[in-house]
Amino acid sequence: MSAESTPDPAIPDPGRSRTGPGHRGKGRRRKPRAKRRKALLVAAWSAAGIVVLGGTGAGVLYFKLNGNLTSVDIDQALGADRPEKTDNGSENILVLGSDTRSGGNKKLGGGTDDGTARSDTAMIVHVHQGHKSASVVSIPRDTLIDRPDCTGTDGTEHPAAQDVMFNSAYSTGGAACAVKTVESVSGLRMDHYLEVDFSGFQNLIDDLGGVEVSTTEDIKDPDSHLDLTAGTHRLDGEQALGLVRTRHGVGDGSDLGRIQLQQAFVKALVDQVKDVGLLGNPKKLYDIADTATKTVTTDSDLGSVNSLMSFATGLKGIGPDKMHMVTMPVVYDPADANRVLVEKDKAQQVWTALKNDRPIPKSATQGTATGEADGVVGAGE
């Protein structure tokens, strides 16, 4: 995944000016896939919430974008008591969507307005050896789990808790506690962490010019400010946010149905972003890069534009056809229809496959709760 052997065409050396487009081939003409995706690949919210930025410009713009990034030192917070890193060439990235209600997020609907944050969306993105494909496992926020004791990124100690909702880990101890909880549940080491907030996601979709999706049925949810008829739509930022957040407009009204919409939207986003014409529009390119770097929080290893771009270079060839997306195997809690429980035997099939860098077997998700929203949303025509 290292870009050391090839100069990065997207990030200029601060010591010299580089204003040309480098080696990127981007636009509406059909070109080899790798070149068409060089300009920009964003799988920010859910395909693994992976943000890949590309651009040109003088050194001052590099420092401006670099200053936008926020990072947290997960390794220092968690220490040595973690699963071992694998040496098979694969990587695991925990992607969280934050539902903070403070600041610009407060008006985006639902939840409390006291500034408390929870991980509204959580995905483990497993990048397979060779970085040509990825497996994505969504973790339902309403899953009841045993949260391990953890030290928050601010150094506060939090005791372990049993039978608590998964998304409470983030509100309890921030990114570090969320990572430790995911590692405890899965037994997998998270190599990287990426968090995207609601308001930033909405702005990013608007900067991109919207995302086209097709729906097979009407979707209407006043709580998410969403009203779509069956058919093809180009969603703006507010509509896209409503789609990935709605849980009452489709399926059985559970978080599982929302996850299926999120996964479908991510694939549509990845499929279409390669066709966004940016090479001839430096201002639009900069606006997208500026918004994206303000939107994400990363682990400290990815806490610079150069590091993020180097990481992204190895992911540019993973299109929607190379992404296998599933939900962590769960069953409905018989004591509370609004909660789900981990189906441990089937979930272990998922974790074992990823640990060994193998495809997730179909048997791992057969017979588990689904949310009944599969196939409602797909990429636009």
Side-chain angles (χ1 to χ4, degrees), residues 143-150 158-166 168-169 172 177 181 184-185:
T143 308
L144 294 179
I145 52 95
D146 292 338
R147 192 191 71 235
D149 62 273
C150 58
H158 300 281
Q162 293 183 324
D163 292 328
V164 296
M165 286 175 58
F166 167 78
S168 67
T172 298
C177 195
T181 299
S184 175
V185 169

Side-chain angles (χ1 to χ4, degrees), residues 294-311:
K294 289 176 180 176
T295 297
V296 300
T297 298
T298 71
D299 64 278
S300 54
D301 286 345
L302 297 181
S304 71
V305 174
N306 273 341
S307 296
L308 194 59
M309 280 302 302
S310 178
F311 170 74

Side-chain angles (χ1 to χ4, degrees), residues 40-358:
L40 175 68
L41 172 63
V42 181
W45 185 255
S46 77
I50 300 169
V51 175
V52 180
L53 302 175
T56 61
V60 64
L61 297 183
Y62 162 78
F63 286 115
K64 169 68 164 61
L65 296 176
N66 206 58
N68 288 343
L69 287 168
T70 300
S71 63
V72 292
D73 194 338
I74 300 294
D75 289 338
Q76 180 177 0
L78 298 188
D81 185 19
R82 304 177 62 186
E84 293 184 1
K85 291 185 177 182
T86 60
D87 59 358
N88 56 20
S90 67
E91 286 189 298
N92 297 309
I93 305 102
L94 175 62
V95 180
L96 294 185
S98 168
D99 71 347
T100 305
R101 298 292 186 254
S102 59
N105 287 326
K106 185 176 179 180
K107 64 181 180 180
L108 298 180
T112 63
D113 60 1
D114 60 1
T116 301
R118 292 195 178 191
S119 51
D120 191 68
T121 299
M123 295 181 173
I124 297 174
V125 180
H126 177 86
V127 181
H128 291 278
Q129 182 183 23
H131 294 221
K132 300 299 182 183
S133 63
S135 295
V136 182
V137 183
S138 296
I139 302 178
R141 56 174 287 174
D142 297 334
T143 308
L144 294 179
I145 52 95
D146 292 338
R147 192 191 71 235
D149 62 273
C150 58
T151 301
T153 46
D154 62 356
T156 302
E157 299 286 342
H158 300 281
Q162 293 183 324
D163 292 328
V164 296
M165 286 175 58
F166 167 78
N167 68 339
S168 67
Y170 180 87
S171 61
T172 298
C177 195
V179 171
K180 186 168 185 179
T181 299
V182 169
E183 292 184 340
S184 175
V185 169
S186 67
L188 302 173
R189 171 80 169 234
M190 296 298 108
D191 299 292
H192 293 296
Y193 172 82
L194 183 67
E195 179 185 334
V196 184
D197 72 18
F198 275 170
S199 62
F201 170 80
Q202 178 172 325
N203 293 336
L204 185 59
I205 297 301
D206 283 335
D207 285 348
L208 285 167
V211 174
E212 192 172 90
V213 301
S214 291
T215 64
T216 58
E217 60 184 59
D218 296 348
I219 302 177
K220 187 171 184 178
D221 182 2
D223 290 342
S224 297
H225 311 293
L226 192 66
D227 188 358
L228 300 175
T229 57
T232 299
H233 307 269
R234 179 164 288 276
L235 306 184
D236 61 20
E238 183 177 10
Q239 292 172 314
L241 181 60
L243 182 68
V244 299
R245 293 204 61 221
T246 185
R247 60 187 298 168
H248 304 298
V250 296
D252 63 4
S254 72
D255 187 47
L256 300 178
R258 171 167 54 185
I259 285 174
Q260 290 181 324
L261 294 186
Q262 291 170 352
Q263 293 174 345
F265 180 83
V266 166
K267 286 194 173 185
L269 176 61
V270 173
D271 184 53
Q272 295 170 49
V273 74
K274 66 180 182 292
D275 295 323
V276 177
L278 296 175
L279 191 58
N281 193 336
K283 182 181 184 303
K284 184 174 183 179
L285 181 60
Y286 173 76
D287 288 344
I288 291 173
D290 187 44
T291 299
T293 48
K294 289 176 180 176
T295 297
V296 300
T297 298
T298 71
D299 64 278
S300 54
D301 286 345
L302 297 181
S304 71
V305 174
N306 273 341
S307 296
L308 194 59
M309 280 302 302
S310 178
F311 170 74
T313 298
L315 304 177
K316 66 181 183 294
I318 302 177
D321 59 327
K322 298 297 183 182
M323 296 167 54
H324 181 208
M325 306 185 79
V326 303
T327 300
M328 180 179 70
V330 294
V331 295
Y332 293 108
D333 181 2
D336 186 347
N338 294 317
R339 301 289 179 263
V340 293
L341 306 173
V342 180
E343 216 292 5
K344 293 184 178 180
D345 289 341
K346 290 183 177 292
Q348 190 57 52
Q349 292 183 48
V350 174
W351 310 137
T352 299
L354 298 188
K355 185 175 183 179
N356 294 315
D357 197 33
R358 295 174 181 169

